[in-house]
Amino acid sequence: MALDPSMPILVVDDYQTMVRIIRNLLKQLGFENVDDASDGSTAIAKMRDKKYGLVISDWNMEPMTGFELLQRVREEDALSQTPFIIVTAESKTENVIAAKKAGVNNYIVKPFNAQTLKTKIESVCQA
């Protein structure tokens, strides 16, 4: 099954440069329908307004971390099934385990390239 390039994706990161990098990688992979949010609260509000096929969120953000955003998304019935990938510069085993327990679909450690992103998206969206 091929990935749907029209699938809406929400990129959540408080660092605009990272948002741009992920957006560019997604564009390279053919995804055009990409929104972004600079914090968890904005992300939740956008998710309530629009059904996203995927959320790609940074772990380290203020005031709500990507992990806390994941927990919130999983608690809300209308949002709980949204595929969710966490991006982080830290590959601490305890973080990966905590994210898995909280219901993350996949995990990407920075730095990463378009191929890595594509592989992770495929694994999440074709399950």
Side-chain angles (χ1 to χ4, degrees), residues 59-102:
W59 181 295
N60 296 308
M61 296 186 297
E62 297 290 335
M64 184 192 300
T65 66
F67 180 70
E68 291 164 337
L69 172 61
L70 170 65
Q71 291 174 312
R72 285 267 191 77
V73 167
R74 292 297 179 244
E75 286 165 5
E76 266 191 56
D77 287 343
L79 308 177
S80 66
Q81 298 305 307
T82 308
F84 201 106
I85 296 176
I86 281 192
V87 177
T88 183
E90 299 171 32
S91 55
K92 290 185 191 153
T93 309
E94 60 267 25
N95 286 4
V96 177
I97 293 168
K100 282 279 182 207
K101 281 185 178 166

Side-chain angles (χ1 to χ4, degrees), residues 22-74:
I22 295 174
R23 210 180 245 286
N24 287 338
L25 291 174
L26 289 168
K27 197 171 208 163
Q28 284 176 37
L29 299 174
F31 295 101
E32 296 290 339
N33 191 354
V34 180
D35 293 338
D36 61 77
S38 58
D39 60 66
S41 305
T42 306
I44 292 277
K46 286 189 176 202
M47 289 179 74
R48 287 178 182 145
D49 285 344
K50 179 174 177 179
K51 179 145 179 56
Y52 289 96
L54 175 65
V55 173
I56 301 173
S57 175
D58 187 36
W59 181 295
N60 296 308
M61 296 186 297
E62 297 290 335
M64 184 192 300
T65 66
F67 180 70
E68 291 164 337
L69 172 61
L70 170 65
Q71 291 174 312
R72 285 267 191 77
V73 167
R74 292 297 179 244

Side-chain angles (χ1 to χ4, degrees), residues 1-10 26 31 52-56 81-85 105-106 117-127:
M1 185 176 117
L3 287 174
D4 177 2
S6 66
M7 172 178 74
I9 298 176
L10 180 62
L26 289 168
F31 295 101
Y52 289 96
L54 175 65
V55 173
I56 301 173
Q81 298 305 307
T82 308
F84 201 106
I85 296 176
N105 296 91
N106 220 316
L117 184 60
K118 181 177 191 231
T119 304
K120 298 285 186 175
I121 293 172
E122 284 173 345
S123 75
V124 166
C125 295
Q126 296 176 359

